[in-house]
Amino acid sequence: MAKPSSTPRGERSGKPGARWETELRWTGEQIVEDDQPEPRQNRAARRAAARARRRR
């Protein structure tokens, strides 16, 4: 069993913007017209798809 440290460490500092007061709110539904183009995938999804294509 380890003995207590002579220099105690404090808690880690929080991340900026992450607070307990943060509250999620519903902003309502977003109406998308039928003729709108599909949104582009994010970079991680595009890279995963490219990896899957290379593996075949």
Side-chain angles (χ1 to χ4, degrees):
M1 187 170 133
K3 62 181 181 175
S5 174
S6 59
T7 56
R9 298 187 196 120
E11 294 181 6
R12 291 185 184 165
S13 59
K15 297 179 183 174
R19 304 175 189 257
W20 287 106
E21 302 90 38
T22 302
E23 185 176 323
L24 299 177
R25 295 182 185 216
W26 175 251
T27 58
E29 295 184 18
Q30 296 180 353
I31 308 299
V32 178
E33 299 297 328
D34 290 336
D35 58 350
Q36 291 293 322
E38 290 292 320
R40 189 170 184 217
Q41 294 176 331
N42 64 19
R43 184 171 186 256
R46 291 193 313 266
R47 289 171 55 100
R51 267 196 314 277
R53 281 194 305 270
R54 284 196 303 265
R55 295 183 88 194
R56 288 190 213 169

